[in-house]
């Protein structure tokens, strides 16, 4: 005879579910589906990234270990030479000279771009609305002008005989600039190219930082004014904490863009005079497209990718160390 225990349940209470209750299994399946669904939704984007980015990177890496000149390209032969392309590239003193030039050039124009964009963003906050709109329209027009068109205009401006810059300097009393050539040396050529790149890059940085500045509540500026803070102290205590993540982001993007700058350098003097304005991007073109040495070009491209990967890793570290772990 089996004894039955009578369990008294409070009024309105739900009896405990049996371990074999199918409702629990359905809920478990639902929780599992909720965890898997985001990854399933990301699969198309992941597949596109693998096809458009990962596979070309693998191809470039494989080419860098091959001797792939025009002869091998036509015949279809696979000639593997190991690390010879890297050894030849890294043992070339000219490669290191160009690398240092590229890094210095990139650092200079990124610093000028961020500083110019920051100054304009702060200035726009204090301008009259009508004047601010005029400045914004001017920045948009400078940003929207095609690269080659802007490069042509800069070549006219800095032309040694007909350029408006030399004529203006002569009118101001600097008569030594009559017939002065701004493209006679690599340093002066890179200076002109740097001004060109900064001119085109400043609008993006300005609008990005200005968006962060106008997001700061006006009450914070009023509180700083009541406390007697100067303009510089207000910028450090109120404005800079709000735009620091955005500044980090636009600095990172500027490094990526300027490190790979090619169109402006090639259109101005094709890396001249005498290679004085040649950067890694130009060497990559000369080795690969112009010289048909695709294996050597693949090695240079891989080395450039390593540099950009290190910069990207540093940016991710800075991004993770922010208080919220993301942009405000």
């Amino acid at each position: 005879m089996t004894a039955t225990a009578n369990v008294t349940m409070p009024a309105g209470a739900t009896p405990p579910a049996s371990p074999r209750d199918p409702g629990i299994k359905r809920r478990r399946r639902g929780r599992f589906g909720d965890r898997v669904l985001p990854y399933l939704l990301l699969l198309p984007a992941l597949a596109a990234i693998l096809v458009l980015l990962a596979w070309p990177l693998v191809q470039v890496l494989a080419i860098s270990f091959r001797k792939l000149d025009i002869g091998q390209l036509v015949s279809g032969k696979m000639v593997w030479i190991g690390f010879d392309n890297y050894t030849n590239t890294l043992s070339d003193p000219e490669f290191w000279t160009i690398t240092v030039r590229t890094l210095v050039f990139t650092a200079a124009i990124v610093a000028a771009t961020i500083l110019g964009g920051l100054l304009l963003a702060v200035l726009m906050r204090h301008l009259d609305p009508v004047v601010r709109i005029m400045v914004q329209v001017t920045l948009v027009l400078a940003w929207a002008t095609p690269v080659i068109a802007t490069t042509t205009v800069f070549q006219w401006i800095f032309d040694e005989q007909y350029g408006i810059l030399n004529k203006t300097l002569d009118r101001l009393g600097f008569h030594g600039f009559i017939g002065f050539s701004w493209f006679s040396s690599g340093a002066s050529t890179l200076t002109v190219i740097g001004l060109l790149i900064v001119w085109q890059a400043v609008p993006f940085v300005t609008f990005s930082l200005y968006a962060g500045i106008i997001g700061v509540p006006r009450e914070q500026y009023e509180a700083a004014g009541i406390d007697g803070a100067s303009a510089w102290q207000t910028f450090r205590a109120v404005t800079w904490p709000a735009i620091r993540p955005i500044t980090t982001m636009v600095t990172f993007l500027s490094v990526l863009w300027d490190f790979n700058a090619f169109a402006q350098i090639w259109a101005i003097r094709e890396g001249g005079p005498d290679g004085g304005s040649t950067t890694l991007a130009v060497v990559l073109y000369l080795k690969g497209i112009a010289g048909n040495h695709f294996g050597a070009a693949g090695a240079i491209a891989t080395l450039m990718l390593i540099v950009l990967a290190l910069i990207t890793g540093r940016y991710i570290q800075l991004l993770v160390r922010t208080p919220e772990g993301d942009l405000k």
Side-chain angles (χ1 to χ4, degrees):
M1 185 172 180
T2 304
T4 303
N6 295 325
V7 180
T8 304
M9 297 294 298
T14 304
S18 172
R20 297 182 180 179
D21 189 349
I24 294 180
K25 293 183 179 180
R26 285 194 296 269
R27 287 194 295 271
R28 289 176 179 173
R29 292 194 191 100
R31 288 196 294 269
F32 177 76
D34 292 340
R35 291 195 298 268
V36 173
L37 181 60
Y39 298 99
L40 294 177
L41 295 175
L42 288 174
L43 278 180
L46 180 61
I49 290 175
L50 290 176
V51 172
L52 299 176
L53 295 179
W55 179 245
L57 290 178
V58 172
Q59 287 290 89
V60 170
L61 183 61
I63 289 174
S64 68
F65 293 104
R66 296 166 53 187
K67 180 182 180 182
L68 186 59
D69 297 340
I70 192 65
Q72 290 77 23
L73 190 64
V74 172
S75 63
K77 293 182 179 180
M78 301 280 288
V79 182
W80 298 95
I81 59 175
F83 290 93
D84 287 355
N85 287 324
Y86 293 95
T87 302
N88 295 333
T89 299
L90 295 176
S91 61
D92 186 3
E94 186 179 3
F95 170 79
W96 291 106
T97 301
I98 295 174
T99 300
V100 172
R101 180 188 301 142
T102 303
L103 294 175
V104 173
F105 175 70
T106 301
I109 58 181
V110 168
T113 300
I114 300 302
L115 180 59
L118 180 60
L119 292 176
L120 283 174
V122 174
L123 177 64
M124 284 199 301
R125 180 182 173 272
H126 299 281
L127 290 176
D128 180 78
V130 176
V131 179
R132 181 168 59 247
I133 292 175
M134 294 175 60
V135 172
Q136 291 174 346
V137 170
T138 303
L139 290 173
V140 169
L141 292 176
W143 192 15
T145 305
V147 173
I148 299 302
T150 307
T151 303
T152 303
V153 172
F154 265 70
Q155 286 179 313
W156 290 344
I157 293 175
F158 288 91
D159 186 81
E160 58 182 311
Q161 294 183 357
Y162 308 104
I164 188 64
L165 180 60
N166 285 350
K167 293 183 178 180
T168 302
L169 292 174
D170 178 44
R171 295 284 183 86
L172 294 176
F174 300 97
H175 305 295
F177 285 94
I178 299 177
F180 178 78
S181 176
W182 293 91
F183 304 105
S184 59
S185 66
S188 59
T189 303
L190 284 177
T191 300
V192 176
I193 297 172
L195 292 174
L196 169 61
I197 296 176
V198 170
W199 173 269
Q200 295 176 303
V202 159
F204 170 77
V205 176
T206 301
F207 283 118
S208 300
L209 297 180
Y210 180 68
I213 291 176
I214 62 177
V216 180
R218 186 176 297 273
E219 291 78 8
Q220 295 186 16
Y221 290 105
E222 294 176 352
I226 293 174
D227 292 338
S230 63
W232 172 246
Q233 291 172 335
T234 301
F235 174 80
R236 289 184 57 189
V238 179
T239 305
W240 178 246
I243 65 173
R244 181 170 55 186
I246 303 177
T247 305
T248 303
M249 180 193 69
V250 295
T251 301
F252 168 71
L253 293 176
S254 297
V255 169
L256 295 184
W257 294 333
D258 298 340
F259 184 78
N260 293 306
F262 170 77
Q264 299 91 335
I265 300 174
W266 188 257
I268 289 287
R269 281 297 182 275
E270 299 182 357
D274 299 326
S277 62
T278 300
T279 60
L280 288 177
V282 177
V283 172
L284 185 60
Y285 171 80
L286 293 175
K287 288 284 187 179
I289 304 301
N292 296 321
H293 302 299
F294 301 103
I300 297 174
T302 303
L303 294 173
M304 293 176 63
L305 181 62
I306 292 174
V307 174
L308 295 179
L310 294 175
I311 296 173
T312 303
R314 178 57 179 166
Y315 169 70
I316 293 175
Q317 288 181 350
L318 295 174
L319 194 63
V320 171
R321 289 177 183 176
T322 57
E324 293 81 4
D326 55 1
L327 295 179
K328 293 182 179 180

